[in-house]
Amino acid sequence: MASLRVLNATVHNRLCDVSLTVKSGQMLGLLGPNGSGKSSLLHAMAGLLPISGCVLLDEKNLNHLSDNERARRLGLLPQRSYSAWALSVRDIVSMGRLPWHDDNPKAIDFAMSKAGIKDLAHIPIDKLSGGQQARVWLARVFAGEPDILLADEPVASLDLLYQQQIIQALQAYAKQGHTVVVALHDLSLAARYCDELALMHQGDLVAKGPVSTILRPELLSRVYGVEVMVDLQLTPPIVIAR
């Protein structure tokens, strides 16, 4: 169980005085156009981007934690991951245990099971499809058992099946008492699976709150610059530009 607070995070031309709180057991969706600051905010939350302001993990300043403790408590799934060697799926997932200085087989098996790739354990990563590889990188983060999981566009360029599998795995991780922050472009996926949403534009946090208060046509149209239709009564919800 862990909470994450960002206070007045500022980075020149990237973030402008951003403050927000994410509670344990919650999945927060970061929304906004390209260049709005979503990736910068995730990297700031992970302690990988120097900022004016601070990030608090359970009310402790992230900068006061050792690199090893940060690596154990925070897991980042970047937009793109790549292996220079044709390692097996299990070998790659086991790298998630590096902060713990072990190769706990139970944690590795559980991570692969959560990501739905247990049957791929001994296959070289370069033999997998893009969607399968995306689940491998997610499993590597799961293997580290972080309190906070930060995911940057984890469903980009994936087909509908893999999008659903990845986002459902992240949602399940949050429901187990962890904290998940995920940057998304698909507003319908965000509406269906996230507990709260944060809408960003040009480095500013425009609004944060429940799905129904963020996915309003007038607010989305102002941020995205196009007319937007929203129907949250349908299952799954529909959000489209028109």
Side-chain angles (χ1 to χ4, degrees):
M1 304 287 281
S3 63
L4 190 69
R5 280 210 299 155
V6 179
L7 298 177
N8 309 113
T10 300
V11 179
H12 182 62
N13 289 332
R14 296 168 77 174
L15 295 174
C16 182
D17 200 29
V18 174
S19 295
L20 57 80
T21 299
V22 196
K23 301 173 185 176
S24 59
Q26 181 183 70
M27 184 155 85
L28 174 71
L30 290 183
L31 308 180
N34 290 330
S36 61
K38 301 186 299 295
S39 295
S40 295
L41 181 55
L42 285 172
H43 282 78
M45 287 176 165
L48 300 176
L49 179 64
I51 60 170
S52 295
C54 65
V55 178
L56 302 178
L57 176 53
D58 288 338
E59 300 305 312
K60 294 180 181 177
N61 192 315
L62 210 58
N63 291 333
H64 297 164
L65 303 180
S66 68
D67 290 343
N68 200 63
E69 186 175 359
R70 273 192 286 177
R72 288 183 177 188
R73 301 204 61 193
L74 289 151
L76 174 66
L77 180 63
Q79 279 190 36
R80 297 175 188 85
S81 297
Y82 173 75
S83 174
W85 298 277
L87 299 173
S88 73
V89 166
R90 187 179 184 85
D91 285 342
I92 287 176
V93 175
S94 69
M95 291 179 185
R97 297 301 303 172
L98 288 175
W100 298 95
H101 308 296
D102 68 32
D103 57 353
N104 186 329
K106 197 173 284 188
I108 294 167
D109 287 342
F110 191 50
M112 290 194 295
S113 178
K114 280 192 288 191
I117 58 166
K118 209 165 182 183
D119 58 331
L120 307 176
H122 303 295
I123 299 177
I125 186 74
D126 62 343
K127 301 300 182 185
L128 302 181
S129 69
Q132 290 171 325
Q133 289 186 25
R135 287 187 290 157
V136 172
W137 300 117
L138 176 59
R140 184 180 68 167
V141 179
F142 281 157
E145 303 175 295
D147 297 319
I148 313 283
L149 196 158
L150 310 169
D152 194 358
E153 297 291 350
V155 299
S157 303
L158 300 183
D159 64 34
L160 295 176
L161 174 63
Y162 286 127
Q163 285 183 16
Q164 192 171 56
Q165 288 177 341
I166 295 272
I167 205 74
Q168 286 178 345
L170 290 169
Q171 183 190 50
Y173 196 70
K175 288 186 180 300
Q176 292 165 4
H178 303 97
T179 303
V180 175
V181 184
V182 54
L184 294 168
H185 276 301
D186 190 317
L187 304 187
S188 295
L189 276 180
R192 185 175 183 182
Y193 292 104
C194 294
D195 300 298
E196 283 197 333
L197 302 175
L199 183 61
M200 300 191 67
H201 183 53
Q202 296 181 348
D204 287 320
L205 178 62
V206 176
K208 176 182 177 290
V211 171
S212 60
T213 66
I214 303 303
L215 296 186
R216 292 182 286 119
E218 65 277 11
L219 185 58
L220 296 176
S221 297
R222 175 160 60 89
V223 168
Y224 286 95
V226 294
E227 188 179 356
V228 179
M229 184 192 79
V230 178
D231 191 337
L232 301 179
Q233 303 306 313
L234 293 178
T235 304
I238 292 180
V239 185
I240 58 173
R242 60 179 181 177

